[in-house]
Amino acid sequence: MFTLEVKKLSKVALLSLFAATSLHAAQVKDVKGPAFKDRAVDGAVKYKVKDDTYAGVYRVNPNAYKVKAFNKGRVPTQNEIKASDIDVRYDWQGLPDGKGSVSQGDELFEKHCSMCHGDMGSGGKGYPKLTGGDIDTLKNQLVHPEKGDEPPERSIGAYWPYASTLWWYIKTGMPFPHPMSLTNDEVYAIVAYLLSVEEIQIDGEDLDDDYVLTKEKLMKLHMPNEKGFYPEVNGKDGVTNMKKFLSDSKNYGTPTKRCMKDCPTGKVVHIKAKLDDEIIPPVSIKRDLPKETGEKKAGNKFAKLYETKCSACHGNDAIAPKVGNKDSWADRIKQGNDVLYNHAIKGFKGMPPKGGNADLSDADVKGIVDYMVSQSN
């Protein structure tokens, strides 16, 4: 949780979510939680299993909770553990060697990232901006937008406490269509570029176009908002600190008085906006499945391939032309199937060859294209 938010959030939560706890004419009862030692790390009640029953209510399988050793599978090899142990911690543990310049990162960001996150990370349709935030706005609360309240402007430089998260997330989760495809050097370059756009210094030095970011340099970086979060979750007391924080209901606005009789009721709010405006495909309450024709059955193979291989991008107009959006596909369909086949197989602009699915045959790619066109014309 971010520093300075709690007091105001508590008031808002109490006024809006727990309006029914007004106590002027109601009977109330104190709400007492369990002792600290009986709570789980998230502050919830933790009960013991007794007589094969949990919390005195739920029956459990004794063969499951009393098991001492597992007899399924095998112990992983050291190489298997090493291959999956790729996280980078807040203290830089796990950060691999590498290097990359700001100028290289600029080119890589334009090629792999700008299609979603916009030029210079300024934000794209449906995806968050990465740069251009303001740390001073993090105190803002969007309580009354109709009165001009502005939301916080979060970005990498203004909000993120550690750059290790930035390196790790780009390495393991990006680019969106084909994660884990960037080399360590390419990740260093993209991180250098984003830090440069955010005007963050490392060891007092600006990150200009020729600046080369290395492991040693990155480990010297302290982000502007490093101390902006609470409770302290790092170190040996991290779990205890979090448990203490979440065990205290006052920290997140939960009332300590429970209404027992003659409690006020809140006003039911109904959504007045129409839900069918410009939604593709239109909203429908029908639940019956369409009858399958011979033609449709033949296309099921490519429909499934589309769902597993291509829908991550072509299901979102912010990344690629969305299947089913006739406006997005009209000009492309006019180019003819041969052009579409060629683009899909060899790659086109931000899309890699075969959408990053090298295991697909050319025939499968053409079948997927035919399916996508049939759903969009």
Side-chain angles (χ1 to χ4, degrees):
M1 188 171 291
F2 183 69
T3 304
L4 298 177
E5 288 184 341
V6 164
K7 289 185 179 179
K8 200 166 186 180
L9 279 175
S10 297
K11 293 178 182 178
V12 173
L14 284 169
L15 290 173
S16 59
L17 298 179
F18 301 101
T21 60
S22 299
L23 308 176
H24 58 279
Q27 293 185 8
V28 299
K29 182 179 180 180
D30 288 339
V31 180
K32 295 181 179 180
F36 181 72
K37 64 181 179 63
D38 296 325
R39 290 183 178 271
V41 67
D42 62 355
V45 181
K46 183 170 60 175
Y47 298 98
K48 295 180 179 180
V49 175
K50 184 178 180 181
D51 298 329
D52 297 337
T53 305
Y54 179 75
V57 178
Y58 304 103
R59 298 290 293 176
V60 298
N61 182 356
N63 294 326
Y65 76 85
K66 291 180 180 179
V67 69
K68 299 298 182 182
F70 295 101
N71 59 3
K72 301 293 184 183
R74 60 173 176 79
V75 176
T77 66
Q78 289 301 312
N79 283 336
E80 287 172 333
I81 294 175
K82 184 178 179 180
S84 61
D85 185 15
I86 57 175
D87 63 306
V88 181
R89 297 185 1 166
Y90 73 96
D91 57 1
W92 302 109
Q93 181 176 318
L95 183 68
D97 293 323
K99 62 180 180 179
S101 69
V102 171
S103 59
Q104 290 170 335
D106 188 357
E107 295 178 3
L108 289 166
F109 188 89
E110 178 64 27
K111 178 179 179 180
H112 296 292
C113 317
S114 62
M115 67 183 75
C116 295
H117 293 290
D119 293 337
M120 301 178 70
S122 58
K125 182 180 179 181
Y127 290 87
K129 70 177 184 179
L130 305 177
T131 60
D134 184 353
I135 195 170
D136 291 332
T137 69
L138 297 184
K139 304 173 186 177
N140 291 3
Q141 298 291 330
L142 195 61
V143 180
H144 296 292
E146 74 281 0
K147 296 181 180 180
D149 283 2
E150 295 290 338
E153 294 181 23
R154 298 186 177 97
S155 68
I156 292 169
Y159 186 67
W160 290 32
Y162 305 108
S164 54
T165 308
L166 176 62
W167 197 101
W168 177 27
Y169 190 75
I170 293 174
K171 175 63 179 179
T172 59
M174 294 291 137
F176 185 73
H178 41 99
M180 292 291 290
S181 61
L182 297 172
T183 67
N184 289 346
D185 286 349
E186 288 175 329
V187 176
Y188 271 99
I190 294 174
V191 169
Y193 171 70
L194 290 171
L195 294 175
S196 173
V197 174
E198 286 285 72
E199 299 181 355
I200 292 177
Q201 295 183 331
I202 296 181
D203 208 17
E205 184 178 357
D206 292 328
L207 279 62
D208 56 23
D209 288 346
D210 296 327
Y211 185 92
V212 177
L213 182 64
T214 64
K215 174 181 178 180
E216 291 73 22
K217 291 178 180 179
L218 186 56
M219 291 175 66
K220 295 179 181 179
L221 174 61
H222 290 278
M223 298 292 278
N225 197 37
E226 182 174 329
K227 301 298 183 181
F229 289 79
Y230 66 92
E232 177 58 60
V233 297
N234 299 320
K236 62 182 181 65
D237 297 324
V239 173
T240 301
N241 292 340
M242 179 59 76
K243 183 176 177 179
K244 287 180 178 178
F245 180 84
L246 294 177
S247 295
D248 187 353
S249 61
K250 296 177 182 177
N251 286 324
Y252 40 88
T254 302
T256 56
K257 300 286 186 181
R258 179 177 294 161
C259 182
M260 304 301 292
K261 185 179 179 181
D262 299 329
C263 303
T265 57
K267 180 181 179 182
V268 177
V269 179
H270 297 278
I271 299 175
K272 297 180 180 179
K274 293 182 179 180
L275 299 180
D276 57 354
D277 293 348
E278 300 180 0
I279 297 178
I280 301 174
V283 175
S284 173
I285 60 173
K286 292 183 178 180
R287 294 294 180 265
D288 52 319
L289 296 174
K291 294 181 179 180
E292 288 193 353
T293 62
E295 179 182 350
K296 185 170 183 179
K297 288 181 180 179
N300 275 349
K301 170 188 175 182
F302 300 112
K304 292 177 180 178
L305 284 174
Y306 162 76
E307 288 295 334
T308 57
K309 304 289 187 179
C310 310
S311 62
C313 291
H314 285 282
N316 189 330
D317 266 324
I319 304 177
K322 183 178 180 179
V323 171
N325 188 335
K326 296 181 180 181
D327 292 337
S328 295
W329 279 86
D331 291 338
R332 292 174 171 84
I333 292 175
K334 288 179 181 178
Q335 298 177 62
N337 283 355
D338 289 341
V339 174
L340 296 180
Y341 294 154
N342 184 63
H343 288 172
I345 293 172
K346 296 183 178 180
F348 184 68
K349 293 185 176 179
M351 185 184 74
K354 298 183 179 180
N357 301 289
D359 57 322
L360 290 174
S361 67
D362 288 358
D364 283 342
V365 174
K366 291 180 180 180
I368 294 172
V369 170
D370 290 340
Y371 167 76
M372 295 166 69
V373 169
S374 70
Q375 302 299 304
S376 308
N377 59 16

